[in-house]
Amino acid sequence: MKEQPDNTITVLMMGNPNVGKSALFNRLTGANAVVSNYPGTTVDYTAGKLIEGHTTYEIIDAPGTYSLEPHDAAEKVAVLLLDERRGDVVMIVLDATKIERGLYLAFEIMEREYPCIIALNMTDVAHDKQIKVNAAGIQRLLGIPVVETTAISGEGVKKLAGAIRKAQVADMDAIRKRLEGSGEDRDETVPCPGCGGCRGCG
Amino acid sequence: MLKTLSTLEFGETGRVTEIRASRHELNCMGLRTGKKLKMITRQPIKGPVVVLIDEVEIAMGLDLAAQVTVNIE
Ligand SMILES: Nc1nc2c(ncn2[C@@H]2O[C@H](COP(=O)(O)OP(=O)(O)O)[C@@H](O)[C@H]2O)c(=O)[nH]1
Ligand SMILES: [Mg+2]
């Protein structure tokens, strides 16, 4: 990942609405956040600083979106922030109780070859609902750091901050091969012909 | 028995067999072929139609729901 001359690395937080992006953002940045209006829109986004070791990160909390084909103005701003490479690193935030839905966006971002890390948030809710999430398995499969967090208690946030510098560009071919190897991506009942490591053929 | 999603009764469950609309639109919400779903709400005229998939509620217009085929089990 490239560092700007002043040693600041920008981190763009992306995720579906309501996954806890802003709660995580607040935990990461504390009380120094600045709200900006995206030019030409009525959409605001928030940026703040995180100092971790000797590195200063500028963290940007993008509006929530379900995909990179925007449906409304807020989603469009999220996609523009990504397109403009406002993040040296993209932090993909997933709701641990709704992983499959969030992975759609995650794969779209990974395909664009940004250095990424994943925050698997809402682990407390997943635990309460007895949803077991194999974070280590997802990390192995995707080849990018995956950190479990609970934004409201702050659990995992320090680890997440430390993992930013380990961000990786996902190797989509390698992911596809690992999926084909394990066959774990298949739904039990309906095979998915013709696409290889599929992320959801209609 | 095959039905379009727009005709599913409240509480009925089934598995998605075909999506004729832009897949992207529904896939990014977690609705894709092979997924099991349950009808939660179906408002007349334009919708919304709300279904439950993996304990996540997904809302769409009636038009879009009409382009999804579901196999009732
Ligand atoms: N239980 C629990 N609630 C969370 C967690 N993270 C966020 N929330 C709550 O989830 C809701 C949505 O969070 P928010 O940060 O606004 O989500 P955003 O839309 O992704 O920015 C808020 O009520 C948060 O307090 C978490 O890890 N655990
Ligand atoms: Mg927010």
Side-chain angles (χ1 to χ4, degrees), chain A residues 16-23 61 121-125 149-152:
Chain A
N16 291 168
N18 276 315
V19 295
K21 267 187 319 303
S22 300
D61 182 13
N121 194 41
M122 303 266 185
T123 47
D124 59 327
V125 185
T149 60
T150 298
I152 49 164

Side-chain angles (χ1 to χ4, degrees), chain A residues 144-182:
Chain A
I144 63 178
V146 176
V147 180
E148 292 181 281
T149 60
T150 298
I152 49 164
S153 70
E155 217 180 309
V157 172
K158 248 200 146 64
K159 195 172 166 200
L160 179 65
I164 297 173
R165 64 190 168 79
K166 299 181 192 154
Q168 290 287 330
V169 176
D171 180 342
M172 302 310 287
D173 286 335
I175 293 171
R176 205 167 287 125
K177 285 211 183 81
R178 282 190 284 258
L179 282 171
E180 278 164 1
S182 69

Side-chain angles (χ1 to χ4, degrees), chain A residues 16 66-69 71 97-98 100-102 104-105 108 129 131 185 187-190 199-202, chain B residues 15-19 22-25 27-36 54-59:
Chain A
N16 291 168
Y66 288 107
S67 77
L68 297 182
E69 279 175 37
H71 294 94
T97 69
K98 299 171 185 174
E100 183 175 334
R101 179 196 280 207
Y104 190 89
L105 174 70
E108 284 191 312
K129 290 189 172 171
I131 296 171
D185 61 324
D187 258 24
E188 327 76 71
T189 49
V190 182
R199 63 170 212 260
C201 280
Chain B
R15 222 174 258 280
V16 179
T17 60
E18 193 193 358
I19 298 175
S22 149
R23 282 184 209 150
H24 178 87
E25 200 82 353
N27 284 172
C28 72
M29 303 288 288
L31 192 159
R32 60 181 174 85
T33 308
K35 294 303 283 188
K36 201 170 171 184
D54 293 339
E55 300 187 42
V56 181
E57 288 184 12
I58 295 169

